[in-house]
Amino acid sequence: MNIDGQPYRTIFPDPDGVSVQVIDQTRLPFAFVLTRLATLEDAALAIRTMIVRGAPLIGVTAAYGLALAMRADPSTAGIDRAVATLAATRPTAINLRWALDRVAANLRQVQPEERFARAYAEAGRIAEEDVASCRAIGVHGGRIIADRHAATGRPVTVLTHCNAGWLATVDWGTALAPIYAAHAQGVPVHVLVDETRPRNQGAALTAFELHGHGVPHTVIADNAGGHLMQHGTVDLCIVGSDRTTARGDVCNKIGTYLKALAAHDNRVPFYAALPFSTIDWTLDDGVREIPIEERDGREVTHMTGRLADGGFATIEVVSPGSPVANPAFDVTPARLVTGIITERGVCTASAEGLYGLYPERRTAA
Ligand code: MRU
């Protein structure tokens, strides 16, 4: 997608052919900085500290991280160590594990001296597949927005939570891909962007990328969505996912579940958009089975922002001494999800729906 007319991807091979460049998302929206990842440690740190984030991008970065590890230690023990290091960075997004398994299986088939080139090329393929999947999600989901516009004759207002745009993937995004597709076709669309406390991915990242691409949007406080749905302001909700189970339970950024409850109560269609790499076919009951990342309480007690003079400051916002909790994700049960938008089409949030789109998984399961 574009930033001020210039197309970018979130991760791309460095011209040196042995490292990768990423957009440092901890510096957005106030500074656009590229950073180079050259080692396993660089990649693990980038994922852990959220220089890169968003389930598909975490997966691609982990794939490149495994490649970078092969430059230093291409032994079989080196593969195991690198996989363990990268897998431990963030526990909820299944794309991380999926990408590591795919690259590691590939590496075990070749001799150590071939492993760096093999992994680097495979990571590149995963990145290209992610772009293709997200583009296809945009085509399928874009139809839902276009149909809504055709039915009402009004601009379509879409509420989204967190950042599931191109910054969370390699390009296009998941939840925002249908919005970019509709916008490109001239369908009038307006996005309500949840700020997404505590890390404000909506206010900082979703707003940044929609603004950069010229898509009309409004940032709202996380607590405003229910009220706006009650008053008919929201046509539909589209969110991303960090892990979706085989029966369609959708795990996504904390607060997604509350939006789904409000959408259900107000008969607002609620969609999750995700590529195949986000589906965990080994799990059914998302509420009980998906590990939820607990992050540093400092994300709740403190906020960082830009001052009027252009400097930056981190301030305390919670009464000193009060304990805090910071679960990073929640699970929306399938019964609250109107449909799942994938690269293969739209299905119901159910085992029938998902296995219908991915029949090859039925035999694998
Ligand atoms: O903690 P984050 O910022 O990595 O969480 C990201 C989200 O929850 C996204 O909405 C999700 O990964 C969907 S990704 C396209």
Side-chain angles (χ1 to χ4, degrees), residues 146-231:
D147 288 351
R148 178 76 187 181
H149 174 61
T152 64
R154 290 186 287 104
V156 182
T157 300
V158 182
L159 183 144
T160 193
H161 190 70
C162 193
N163 172 259
W166 72 269
L167 290 169
T169 64
V170 178
D171 204 357
W172 287 94
T174 56
L176 295 196
I179 289 161
Y180 289 127
H183 178 73
Q185 287 161 18
V187 176
V189 55
H190 189 104
V191 187
L192 292 176
V193 179
D194 281 352
E195 60 179 347
T196 321
R197 277 283 288 151
R199 278 192 75 108
N200 294 322
Q201 290 96 328
L205 303 176
T206 303
F208 171 82
E209 62 164 271
L210 290 173
H211 178 78
H213 203 74
V215 179
H217 63 283
T218 304
V219 178
I220 56 172
D222 287 330
N223 296 328
H227 165 78
L228 293 172
M229 288 190 229
Q230 223 168 26
H231 287 269

Side-chain angles (χ1 to χ4, degrees), residues 53-188:
R53 25 72 47 208
L57 178 57
I58 289 171
V60 173
T61 308
Y64 273 117
L66 187 44
L68 300 176
M70 292 301 97
R71 283 192 77 207
D73 179 3
S75 67
T76 301
I79 299 175
D80 295 340
R81 263 196 303 275
V83 167
T85 300
L86 290 162
T89 51
R90 297 197 69 191
T92 301
I94 192 65
N95 309 58
L96 172 63
R97 192 73 234 186
W98 170 86
L100 288 173
D101 287 350
R102 173 165 156 178
V103 179
N106 211 300
L107 288 181
R108 291 185 211 287
Q109 295 166 10
V110 296
Q111 296 303 311
E113 57 277 15
E114 296 172 61
R115 283 178 174 159
F116 167 71
R118 184 81 162 219
Y120 198 78
E122 187 66 3
R125 269 191 291 277
I126 291 174
E128 291 305 326
E129 286 174 24
D130 188 65
V131 175
S133 291
C134 289
R135 191 183 290 118
I137 287 170
V139 171
H140 298 301
R143 279 194 206 111
I144 296 171
I145 297 174
D147 288 351
R148 178 76 187 181
H149 174 61
T152 64
R154 290 186 287 104
V156 182
T157 300
V158 182
L159 183 144
T160 193
H161 190 70
C162 193
N163 172 259
W166 72 269
L167 290 169
T169 64
V170 178
D171 204 357
W172 287 94
T174 56
L176 295 196
I179 289 161
Y180 289 127
H183 178 73
Q185 287 161 18
V187 176

Side-chain angles (χ1 to χ4, degrees), residues 270-294:
F270 185 94
Y271 291 93
L274 49 112
F276 67 100
S277 52
T278 298
I279 304 170
D280 187 342
W281 300 98
T282 69
L283 301 186
D284 280 318
D285 184 340
V287 175
R288 288 206 169 72
E289 297 177 299
I290 295 177
I292 300 295
E293 178 180 9
E294 181 73 28

